[in-house]
Structure formats: C-alpha cells, structure tokens
C-alpha cells in the first residue's frame, strides 16, 4: 500500500462481484478501485444496473451468497480487509463504524415498532447504553435531524410520518453511533425537490459537524453537484470516469458522463428533444457527437388560440376524517379546494407541488376515479359528473391516465401484450382477435418496444420499459387527453429523457392533450406549455412555463425553484 492508501479511510481494490441468474452468470461489479479519504464525500453515479448498490452492499458484507459471489478484490477499512472477516467480526463494524441510509425508508423501518424504539435499539446494541439513556439520546438525534416535536414524534409509528420525515429517521438511525463512513444509497430519489434539498443540506451539516466520510450513490449528477468532492461514474459494472466534481461538471471526458449530464432537463436553454446517453455513445461504446439539429433550442408553439378541451370550475374534493366515539368531529381534509383552469387542444398543462398538495387527487377527480365534493368538469362540452356509467365508459376511451408506478398498475400474472389488449377488447369489441393483436404490435413499435416481447410478464422488463408499456396501454383506445401522474419520477435520468421525448413525439403524431403532474419543476418546464403550481389543495399560480421560471409571483413557487439542484454556476 502507498502512503496515500495508508491514509485512506476506505480502499476498495479490484472488486468483482458476480450473480447467478436464470440467464447465467452476470457480472455486477468488475475490477472496481475506489478510495475514500477521511472527511471526504465521494459521489458514485450511474443508472440502474450499473453496480452502484452492489458496491455499497459489498462494503457492508450484505451480498447474499448465493446467488451473489465476490470473485476477487479487497476492501480495506481500519487496517483490515473486510472481505476476510466473519459475520461475527463484521457485526460491530456494521452500524457502528460504517452505516447506511437506504433508498426506501418504508421498507427499512419496521412498521410494527415505534421509530424511537428502532433508533434506541441501535444505541443499546452498539453503544451499550441503558434503556433510559438510549431513549434520551434518540430524542436528541431526532431533534438534530430536524424532526419537529421530537419528544412527541419519538412515539410515532413509521406510517404516521411523511416521506421526508421517515428519511430523516433513517438518517438519525444511521448516524446514531457517529460512524466514520456513511453510505447513502439514493436517499432522495422518491422525495420532493424541497424535501430533497433539506435532506441534502442536513447530510452536509452532519458531515461537517461529525467529520465523517460519505459515499453518496445516485443516478442524478445534479443531486451531488454541491455535495461531493469527487465523482466516480459507473457504467455496466465498470468505473468509466473518476474526477473532482468541478472537473466532471465543467468538462466530463467519458461519453457516458456527458450523456448523463445532458439528459437532465434544465430550467432554460433545453433542446427540442432531450439528449440521451445514446446521443453521446453508441451501443458498442463508440463516442458520438450530437448534431447541430439535435442541439437547436426548444421552440414552444403558442397554443392560446386553440379551442378549450377541458374546463375545470371550482373543483373541490374533501375527505372525511374518522373521529373516535365521544371525540369531537374532525374537520374534513380539503385535498382539492376550489380549483379552476382550462386546458386547450394539443396543449400540455404541467401541475407541480409537493407531496400532499392535491395534484394526484385533482387528476383522479377530473377523470371521476375519485368523487368530487363540489364544482364541475367539462370535457369537449360534455359535463363529466353528469354522465351515467355507460356514458362514462364511452368517455373514458377519450380520457386516459398513466400512473406513477407502472409495476403497481400492471397485473404481474398477465403477459404485457394482454394488458395492452384489454382496453382494446373493452372499447373496440367489433375487431377480431387477430386485428386486436396487430394493434398491440403497432403500439409496441410506437412506444419503442419490440412487439416480440409482448408475451413476457411485467417483472421481465426494466422500469423504463414498464413505463412504455403503461403508455402503450393508455394509447390503446386512441384517447385525445391523457393525465400523466408522476409518470417519470421513479426513472433514471436518461430513461426519463427518453420517456419525455416519447410523450412529445406522440403528442405531435396524435394531437394529444396532456395534464402532466410532477414535483419536479425542471421536468415540467421542459414538457409543459403552461404550469400550474399547487399548494395545500389550491392553485396558487398559473402561467406559461417561461413566465413561471423567469418571474414567479408566488413565494411558494420561488421556494420550489430555489430547491432544484443546479450545480455551481461557475462550473457551467
């Protein structure tokens, strides 16, 4: 080991990890070298399947063997190779010296125990604190990570906390023993931009105060712009680039890194179609240069002269809160509270706001998937709330929805081709089976999938492919209007770019009208003609995407814009 390696907190040398799958042996990590110095933050960036999470799990000795197998390499930490230690020797290091914050807090927290008990358990196990001291320390930790009323929240169950609060509990648990190394595996992916910013700021503050090192795993380069000192880019199990954060942002060298930087929508100067990794790098790894045509800035067409397709008037959706026997009646939750707007033919209206602001409920109420409390919705002159079930079924072929989680909305026991064919059978029963199958094949081609894959099941597809299947199913009945409900938020940035481009292409080809619901203002700014900002059930601002970005009128809109990861201005 060199002198620099001796100083390193973590030193991974030529790590290779394989997995046995139904298709044979797959290499998840190949010959990885990675060094983290004391107090340093290293960003590990790449898309799903690049080997990032497998690397993190290898450090902690959490790879299931079989099917996984560490075939070669060393992981040096605290003067010992972690790969040579037994489970018993690893246990005091795990959680004490090296800790991890996972992507999905709900699956990492036990739903049947109070959050305080779960944090206190870590302290009692590793720090040997008494019950009382562990409980007191837990309240301090919850206060430290910014949870309001920690002495009350310590007794909450996970389901009683918001997504951002659950992630803070996970961070409190991870830092409870003041680890030397904190591994964060996509800890902000499912969070709103404002909550994401708060969590990133919190991690930065904690790191400074505790002097710990951090390995931050993400698929979004923008997220680590202000956080990491150094960036390691992984692609298909291999490290393809490593440099200081400044160097990556001001002049990435590898085509894959360039592609990752380019496919994230910006708040201004976007091209007409987002660039993807495929525009910088061919399938066989050759470097490509995007053409001048591809780089031409986006020109949005003014659609204000088009006829109104959807007219929403004073729409309200309230939910009754159950109160216990002999308890005072609780006021209803006003999920949507007197919202009015119109959408014109061929237009995309973006709806933005944080979780719980009423965006999704508004979308579902417009389609009558949720009962309205008051107000009216008129679609192409038809009063949606006045329709009988038979009339509504006919109307549903003209109005469709693409949900956030395609896996949750596809039947796992049904081949995807049949899932896409179902609405055709329902709405176009006059077609014979062969013609229906032809339509399914045409839809697969249109959304960029191979029709031969239609006999496969949902679990055999990637997240991006499943989202394309969900889009194909929505298009199956030839709708005029589609509500996209957070339909790209869970995707890798390059897959997200492909799906956004696809939605724009389909809009041009079919004359579609969209309501695009998202918590990500930069995505909405790219795809939408006008943007509506929702806060606590109300529409607080509605204007063109350009005006919203350049001159926001509402302080809440400004707050959303400020929270978008932008990187440091001097690097761009």
């Amino acid at each position: 080991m060199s002198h620099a390696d001796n100083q390193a907190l973590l030193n991974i040398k030529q790590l290779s990890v394989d997995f046995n799958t139904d298709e044979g042996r797959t290499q998840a990590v190949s010959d990885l070298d990675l060094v983290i110095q004391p107090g340093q933050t290293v960003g590990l960036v790449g898309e799903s399947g690049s080997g990032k999470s497998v690397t993190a799990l290898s450090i902690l000795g959490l790879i299931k063997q079989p099917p996984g197998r560490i075939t070669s390499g060393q992981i040096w930490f605290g003067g010992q190779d972690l790969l040579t230690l037994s489970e018993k020797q690893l246990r005091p290091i795990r959680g004490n010296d090296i800790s991890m914050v996972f992507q999905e807090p709900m699956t990492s927290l036990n739903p049947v125990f109070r959050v305080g008990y779960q944090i206190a358990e870590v302290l009692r196990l590793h720090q040997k604190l008494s019950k009382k001291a562990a409980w007191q320390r837990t309240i301090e930790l919850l206060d430290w990570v910014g949870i309001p009323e920690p002495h009350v929240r310590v007794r909450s169950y996970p389901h009683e906390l918001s997504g951002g609060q659950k992630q803070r509990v996970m961070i409190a648990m991870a830092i409870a023993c003041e680890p030397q190394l904190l591994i964060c595996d996509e800890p902000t992916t499912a969070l709103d931009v404002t909550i994401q910013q708060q969590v990133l700021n919190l991690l930065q503050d904690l790191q400074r105060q505790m002097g710990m090192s951090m390995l931050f795993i993400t698929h979004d380069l923008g997220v680590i712009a202000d956080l990491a000192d150094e960036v390691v880019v992984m692609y298909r199990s291999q490290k393809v680039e490593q440099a200081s954060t400044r160097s990556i942002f001001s002049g990435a060298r590898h085509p894959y890194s360039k592609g990752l930087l380019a496919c994230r929508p910006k708040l201004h100067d976007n091209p007409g179609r987002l660039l993807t990794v495929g525009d910088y790098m061919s399938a066989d790894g050759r470097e490509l240069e995007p053409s001048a045509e591809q780089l031409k800035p986006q020109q949005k067409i003014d659609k204000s002269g088009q006829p109104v397709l959807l007219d929403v008037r004073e729409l309200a959706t309230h939910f009754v809160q159950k109160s216990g026997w002999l308890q005072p009646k609780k006021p209803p939750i006003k999920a949507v509270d007197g919202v009015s707007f119109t959408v014109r033919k061929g237009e995309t209206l973006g709806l933005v706001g944080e979780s719980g602001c009423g965006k999704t409920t508004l979308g579902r109420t417009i389609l009558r998937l949720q009962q309205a409390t008051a107000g009216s919705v008129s679609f192409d002159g038809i009063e949606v709330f006045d329709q009988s079930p038979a009339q509504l079924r006919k109307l549903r072929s003209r109005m469709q929805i693409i949900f956030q989680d395609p896996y949750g909305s596809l039947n796992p026991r049904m081949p995807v081709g049949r899932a896409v064919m179902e609405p055709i059978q329902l709405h176009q029963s006059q077609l014979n089976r062969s013609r229906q199958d032809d339509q399914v094949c045409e839809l697969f081609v249109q959304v960029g999938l191979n029709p031969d894959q239609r006999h496969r099941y949902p679990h055999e597809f990637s997240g991006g492919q499943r989202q394309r299947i969900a889009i194909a199913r929505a298009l199956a009945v030839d709708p005029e209007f589609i509500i996209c409900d957070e339909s790209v938020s869970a995707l890798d940035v390059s897959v997200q770019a492909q799906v956004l481009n696809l939605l724009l292409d389909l809009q041009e080809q079919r004359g579609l009208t969209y309501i695009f619901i998202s918590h990500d203002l930069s995505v909405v700014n790219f795809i939408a003609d006008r943007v509506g900002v929702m806060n606590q059930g109300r529409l607080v601002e509605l204007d063109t995407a350009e005006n919203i970005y350049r001159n926001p009128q509402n302080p809440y809109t400004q707050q959303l814009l400020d929270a978008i990861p932008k990187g440091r201005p001097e690097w761009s």
Side-chain angles (χ1 to χ4, degrees):
M1 268 194 214
S2 70
H3 178 66
D5 288 350
N6 275 327
Q7 305 256 306
L9 178 72
L10 182 83
N11 189 1
I12 299 176
K13 294 182 156 199
Q14 296 186 311
L15 178 70
S16 293
V17 186
D18 286 357
F19 280 88
N20 286 321
T21 65
D22 296 341
E23 282 85 45
R25 212 175 79 216
T26 303
Q27 191 154 48
V29 177
S30 174
D31 274 337
L32 177 70
D33 290 328
L34 179 71
V35 175
I36 301 178
Q37 303 295 345
Q40 185 187 34
T41 297
V42 173
L44 191 58
V45 182
E47 295 171 283
S48 300
S50 62
K52 312 182 301 292
S53 294
V54 173
T55 301
L57 294 171
S58 301
I59 296 167
L60 286 163
L62 294 175
I63 298 283
K64 277 190 181 165
Q65 306 189 35
R69 193 164 67 95
I70 294 172
T71 54
S72 67
Q74 300 168 323
I75 301 176
W76 289 91
F77 179 85
Q80 48 193 347
D81 180 2
L82 299 181
L83 297 182
T84 62
L85 302 184
S86 67
E87 178 63 25
K88 192 179 175 185
Q89 290 168 308
L90 264 177
R91 208 169 287 140
I93 295 171
R94 204 190 283 146
N96 206 17
D97 300 318
I98 306 175
S99 212
M100 188 158 174
V101 181
F102 293 94
Q103 176 173 355
E104 185 37 79
M106 203 57 214
T107 54
S108 316
L109 290 167
N110 190 325
V112 300
F113 291 114
R114 298 177 197 274
V115 294
Y117 171 82
Q118 297 184 57
I119 299 170
E121 192 180 28
V122 174
L123 290 161
R124 293 186 69 197
L125 181 71
H126 290 290
Q127 306 268 295
K128 306 289 184 258
L129 296 184
S130 69
K131 218 172 186 177
K132 191 178 176 186
W135 192 254
Q136 197 49 50
R137 177 75 180 130
T138 297
I139 294 170
E140 286 168 21
L141 283 162
L142 289 178
D143 187 36
W144 204 9
V145 297
I147 287 197
E149 300 182 287
H151 55 286
V152 177
R153 286 300 190 189
V154 74
R155 298 184 183 280
S156 298
Y157 289 95
H159 72 270
E160 296 176 299
L161 302 176
S162 70
Q165 287 174 331
K166 282 197 279 272
Q167 199 56 283
R168 284 165 188 265
V169 169
M170 286 302 301
I171 292 167
M173 200 182 294
I175 62 161
C177 301
E178 303 193 12
Q180 294 168 268
L181 175 65
L182 183 65
I183 301 171
C184 301
D185 187 7
E186 302 264 16
T188 61
T189 300
L191 303 178
D192 295 329
V193 279
T194 46
I195 308 292
Q196 170 178 282
Q197 187 195 36
Q198 290 168 19
V199 170
L200 293 175
N201 290 346
L202 169 66
L203 286 168
Q204 249 177 329
D205 291 345
L206 291 172
Q207 188 205 15
R208 271 196 294 270
Q209 290 169 34
M210 298 167 70
M212 65 184 173
S213 300
M214 198 149 63
L215 179 63
F216 195 97
I217 297 168
T218 181
H219 64 259
D220 187 347
L221 266 164
V223 167
I224 53 163
D226 293 330
L227 197 70
D229 306 302
E230 202 160 308
V231 176
V232 173
V233 181
M234 286 186 78
Y235 174 65
R236 291 188 182 169
S237 82
Q238 293 184 315
K239 177 171 82 173
V240 294
E241 184 161 10
Q242 178 170 3
S244 71
T245 312
R246 185 188 185 114
S247 302
I248 292 278
F249 274 83
S250 56
R253 300 169 77 93
H254 195 277
Y256 180 67
S257 309
K258 291 177 186 174
L260 276 186
L261 278 166
C263 55
R264 183 91 176 86
K266 294 183 269 299
L267 279 175
H268 53 88
D269 304 330
N270 283 306
R273 293 291 179 271
L274 289 172
L275 295 163
T276 65
V277 170
D279 295 315
Y280 288 88
M281 186 176 172
S282 66
D284 58 5
R286 280 180 304 109
E287 185 162 2
L288 304 173
E289 275 294 319
S291 66
E293 186 62 31
Q294 285 175 295
L295 294 168
K296 265 171 73 173
Q298 185 183 42
Q299 295 288 322
K300 288 187 177 169
I301 300 159
D302 181 13
K303 295 175 184 156
S304 58
Q306 294 291 337
V308 169
L309 182 67
L310 185 79
D311 188 0
V312 176
R313 286 268 157 263
E314 292 297 323
L315 191 62
T317 310
H318 298 173
F319 295 110
V320 175
Q321 290 195 80
K322 285 182 181 171
S323 46
W325 196 55
L326 294 178
Q327 280 186 322
K329 198 176 174 187
K330 292 180 183 174
I333 296 167
K334 297 181 178 181
V336 179
D337 191 15
V339 170
S340 300
F341 61 87
T342 57
V343 186
R344 297 180 179 274
K345 274 189 178 170
E347 182 185 29
T348 300
L349 175 70
L351 281 180
V352 293
E354 295 171 283
S355 296
C357 71
K359 312 182 296 290
T360 295
T361 305
L362 175 61
R364 291 174 66 88
T365 308
I366 289 168
L367 294 180
R368 235 175 96 179
L369 297 172
Q370 178 69 53
Q371 202 60 42
T373 307
S376 67
V377 173
S378 168
F379 177 79
D380 201 15
I382 301 163
E383 287 297 327
V384 176
F385 299 160
D386 293 347
Q387 302 302 294
S388 68
Q391 290 170 319
L392 190 61
R393 181 178 293 175
K394 206 172 169 188
L395 192 60
R396 285 255 164 86
S397 68
R398 301 176 65 188
M399 308 165 77
Q400 284 289 304
I401 187 165
I402 302 166
F403 293 102
Q404 175 172 0
D405 176 16
Y407 196 64
S409 55
L410 290 168
N411 185 335
R413 295 179 179 177
M414 186 186 283
V416 294
R418 255 187 54 210
V420 173
M421 192 187 281
E422 258 192 338
I424 300 173
Q425 289 171 330
L426 190 68
H427 291 280
Q428 299 176 34
S429 52
Q430 75 280 6
L431 298 177
N432 63 35
R433 185 65 183 251
S434 166
R435 185 70 196 99
Q436 289 173 350
D437 194 48
D438 288 346
Q439 277 205 5
V440 171
C441 292
E442 284 166 26
L443 286 163
F444 267 60
V445 170
Q446 211 168 9
V447 298
L449 290 171
N450 183 342
D452 296 341
Q453 296 177 319
R454 69 190 187 283
H455 305 298
R456 293 186 185 177
Y457 289 86
H459 72 270
E460 297 179 80
F461 293 90
S462 69
Q465 287 173 321
R466 283 200 287 263
Q467 199 55 278
R468 287 166 185 266
I469 292 160
I471 292 169
R473 189 173 57 176
L475 295 172
V477 289
D478 203 16
E480 297 155 55
F481 169 71
I482 299 177
I483 293 178
C484 305
D485 185 10
E486 297 273 15
S487 45
V488 297
S489 61
L491 303 177
D492 285 333
V493 280
S494 71
V495 179
Q496 174 179 282
Q498 292 167 21
V499 173
L500 290 171
N501 290 342
L502 170 65
L503 289 170
L504 285 175
D505 292 340
L506 290 169
Q507 185 170 40
E508 278 179 17
Q509 293 160 16
R510 291 171 166 244
L512 293 167
T513 305
Y514 294 133
I515 286 183
F516 192 92
I517 296 170
S518 178
H519 62 257
D520 190 333
L521 251 173
S522 45
V523 166
V524 167
N525 174 65
F526 168 72
I527 199 167
D529 301 294
R530 286 186 304 142
V531 176
V533 181
M534 284 194 73
N535 187 18
Q536 296 179 334
R538 302 188 77 88
L539 198 60
V540 295
E541 190 161 355
L542 178 62
D543 208 333
T544 63
E546 190 177 357
N547 286 352
I548 289 272
Y549 163 62
R550 296 201 186 283
N551 189 21
Q553 299 300 303
N554 192 283
Y556 177 72
T557 310
Q558 186 62 58
Q559 190 186 324
L560 284 179
L561 286 162
D562 290 344
I564 296 167
K566 300 175 183 70
R568 295 174 215 182
E570 70 269 18
W571 294 348
S572 49

